[in-house]
C-alpha cells in the first residue's frame, strides 16, 4: 500500500514509518516542514497538502498534534493542543475528501483522555466521553474526521492509552527518577492507567488499516489496565529500585499546574473491546512482563 503519515517525526510516527517500510509499504511522510525525499508538505493551519508529492494514496495515518505532556499548559499551549487536534483534523479531512482518488482508510489518533476522570468505571468504546479540557479536545478531534467519513473513507478513531517504550513517551520521562530510587505513586495512586506498548500500538494501527470491519472509536490499550500504585510497584520491580517516595497531589499541582489533574491524577480503566472482538492479539498484555522486556533491551 501507499500510506501517508502525519506526525511521522514523532515518538509513534517514526517507529510506525519504519515498521511499514519494513513490510514493503511505500510511506509518504506528511510534514509541516520540508522533510526531504519520501515526504510531502502539509499545513495544519489551512489543510493544504502538496498534492503532487502526495500522489494517490491507499491509506493515511493521522498522528500529528501538539505534544500534550510537553510542558505546563499555558494559555498558548492549551490553544496549540486544541487547534492542532479538532480544527486541524477537520481541515485535513476536507482535503482528503477533495482528492481525485481519496484514500480508502484513515486511522486517526485520539486518546483515552476523551473519557475524562472516571474512577473505577470500566470503559469501552460505547462509554460516553467525559468532562474537562482533554475530553473536549478528544471529542473535537474525533468529530473532525466527519468530512472523511462523509466522503466514504473508512475512519478508525484510535483512542490511544499511555504508550510505553524505553526510548520515548511517558516511560522515558519517568525512568530517571525511578532509576535513582526516587519514584513513587502519584497522589493517592488509585487512579487507573490504561497503557499499551509502542510495539502493540504499531501492530494495532496496521491491524486497523487492514480490518474492514473496524470503524469509528477503537480503544488501543492493553487488556490489563493497572492502578498507578500497581504501575509504580511494577516499574520499581523491573528496575529493582525502591518506590517508597509518593508524589503528593499538591506538589504535582504546584509543578505541573492543571496538567497534573488532567494527565497524572485522572484515571481511565479502559478495555480494548473492539480490537479484541476483531481478533487482535496483544504481544504485551501484562504490564510486569512488558516492563521487564522493554527495560532489558538497550
Ligand atoms: N504517546 C502517547 O502516550 C500517546 C497517548 C495517547 C494519544 N497519543 C496521540 O498519538 C499521536 C502521536 O503521539 P506521539 O507520542 O508520537 O506524539 P509526538 O511525539 O508529540 O509527535 C507528534 C507529531 O505531531 C507533529 N506536531 C507537533 N506539534 C504540532 C502542531 N502544533 N500542529 C501539528 N502537528 C504538530 C510533529 O510532526 P511533524 O513535525 O513531522 O509535523 C510531531 O512529531 C498524538 O496525536 C498524541 O496525542 C499519544
Amino acid at each position: 500500500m501507499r500510506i501517508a503519515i502525519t506526525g511521522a517525526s514523532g515518538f509513534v510516527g517514526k517507529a510506525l514509518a519504519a515498521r511499514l517500510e519494513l513490510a514493503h509499504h511505500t510511506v509518504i511522510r506528511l510534514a509541516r516542514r520540508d522533510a526531504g525525499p519520501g515526504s510531502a508538505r502539509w499545513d495544519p493551519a489551512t489543510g493544504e497538502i502538496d498534492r503532487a508529492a502526495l500522489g494517490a494514496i491507499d491509506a493515511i495515518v493521522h498522528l500529528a498534534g501538539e505534544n500534550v505532556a510537553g510542558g505546563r499548559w499555558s494559555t498558548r499551549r492549551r490553544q496549540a493542543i486544541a487547534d492542532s487536534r479538532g480544527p486541524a483534523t477537520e481541515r485535513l479531512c476536507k482535503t482528503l475528501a477533495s482528492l481525485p482518488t481519496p484514500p480508502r482508510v484513515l486511522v486517526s489518533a485520539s486518546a483515552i483522555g476523551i473519557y475524562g476522570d472516571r474512577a473505577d468505571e470500566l470503559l469501552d468504546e460505547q462509554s460516553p466521553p467525559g468532562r474537562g479540557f482533554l475530553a473536549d479536545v478528544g471529542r473535537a478531534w474525533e468529530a473532525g474526521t466527519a468530512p472523511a467519513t462523509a466522503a466514504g473513507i473508512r475512519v478508525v478513531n484510535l483512542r490511544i492509552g499511555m504508550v510505553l517504550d524505553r526510548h520515548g513517551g511517558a516511560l522515558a520521562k519517568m525512568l530517571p527518577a525511578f532509576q535513582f530510587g526516587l519514584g513513587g505513586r502519584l497522589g493517592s495512586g488509585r487512579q487507573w492507567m490504561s497503557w499499551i506498548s509502542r510495539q502493540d500500538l504499531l501492530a494495532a494501527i496496521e491491524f486497523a488499516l487492514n480490518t474492514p470491519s473496524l470503524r469509528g472509536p477503537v480503544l488501543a490499550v492493553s487488556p490489563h489496565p493497572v492502578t498507578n500504585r500497581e504501575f509504580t510497584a511494577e516499574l520499581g520491580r523491573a528496575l529493582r529500585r525502591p518506590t517508597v517516595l509518593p508524589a503528593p497531589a499538591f506538589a504535582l499541582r504546584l509543578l505541573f499546574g492543571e496538567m497534573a489533574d488532567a494527565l497524572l491524577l485522572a484515571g481511565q480503566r479502559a478495555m480494548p473491546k473492539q480490537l479484541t472482538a476483531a481478533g487482535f492479539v496483544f504481544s504485551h498484555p501484562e504490564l510486569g512482563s512488558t516492563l521487564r522486556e522493554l527495560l532489558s533491551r538497550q
Side-chain angles (χ1 to χ4, degrees):
M1 286 201 282
R2 193 174 159 88
I3 305 171
I5 305 177
T6 72
S9 63
F11 168 54
V12 175
K14 217 180 207 166
L16 177 68
R19 179 183 168 113
L20 293 174
E21 281 174 340
L22 210 65
H24 304 293
H25 296 294
T26 302
V27 172
I28 312 296
R29 292 164 176 79
L30 275 182
R32 291 170 300 159
R33 288 170 207 88
D34 194 0
S39 72
R41 290 279 298 275
W42 80 297
D43 182 356
T46 60
E48 271 168 46
I49 297 180
D50 176 350
R51 294 176 182 224
L54 181 70
I57 50 167
D58 301 294
I60 174 163
V61 182
H62 174 41
L63 299 169
E66 182 77 24
N67 195 298
V68 172
R72 274 177 84 97
W73 289 352
S74 61
T75 311
R76 252 182 76 199
R77 280 194 56 78
R78 277 170 68 102
Q79 197 65 49
I81 290 168
D83 285 350
S84 63
R85 300 281 175 346
T89 298
E90 188 176 2
R91 288 187 285 263
L92 174 70
C93 288
K94 282 185 175 154
T95 302
L96 294 177
S98 74
L99 292 174
T101 38
R104 286 192 307 275
V105 49
L106 160 67
V107 175
S108 189
S110 173
I112 50 164
I114 196 168
Y115 295 111
D117 185 11
R118 300 290 271 266
D120 292 334
E121 188 181 342
L122 272 174
L123 302 164
D124 63 31
E125 289 85 353
Q126 267 88 53
S127 309
R131 279 196 294 263
F133 173 64
L134 289 183
D136 292 345
V137 167
R139 225 183 259 115
W141 203 358
E142 293 189 1
T145 58
T149 308
I153 300 171
R154 178 170 65 86
V155 176
V156 176
N157 302 102
L158 215 53
R159 293 182 176 169
I160 304 170
M162 179 177 60
V163 184
L164 296 183
D165 190 84
R166 189 194 179 112
H167 301 291
L171 186 59
K173 283 202 172 98
M174 288 180 232
L175 275 180
F178 276 80
Q179 277 163 334
F180 279 109
L182 299 172
R185 67 181 151 82
L186 306 177
S188 72
R190 284 199 294 267
Q191 67 277 33
W192 286 88
M193 299 172 77
S194 293
W195 59 276
I196 183 167
S197 73
R198 183 168 67 172
Q199 189 186 315
D200 272 343
L201 174 60
L202 304 184
I205 293 173
E206 225 180 326
F207 184 81
L209 289 172
N210 291 316
T211 307
S213 64
L214 283 179
R215 56 178 66 237
V218 172
L219 273 156
V221 294
S222 96
H224 297 287
V226 292
T227 62
N228 174 261
R229 193 183 282 267
E230 289 171 273
F231 186 93
T232 303
E234 288 291 5
L235 184 52
R237 218 168 284 143
L239 292 167
R240 299 200 182 87
R241 293 284 187 282
T243 52
V244 289
L245 289 174
F250 80 86
L252 292 171
R253 289 187 185 115
L254 266 177
L255 267 175
F256 300 110
E258 186 196 345
M259 201 175 103
D261 281 293
L263 268 189
L264 306 174
L265 300 167
Q268 299 89 15
R269 187 184 186 187
M271 292 292 165
K273 204 167 160 187
Q274 295 292 336
L275 274 184
T276 307
F280 182 76
V281 178
F282 286 83
S283 300
H284 293 134
E286 303 277 355
L287 183 68
S289 49
T290 302
L291 287 175
R292 282 194 296 279
E293 185 187 322
L294 293 180
L295 296 170
S296 67
R297 279 192 226 143
Q298 279 314 301

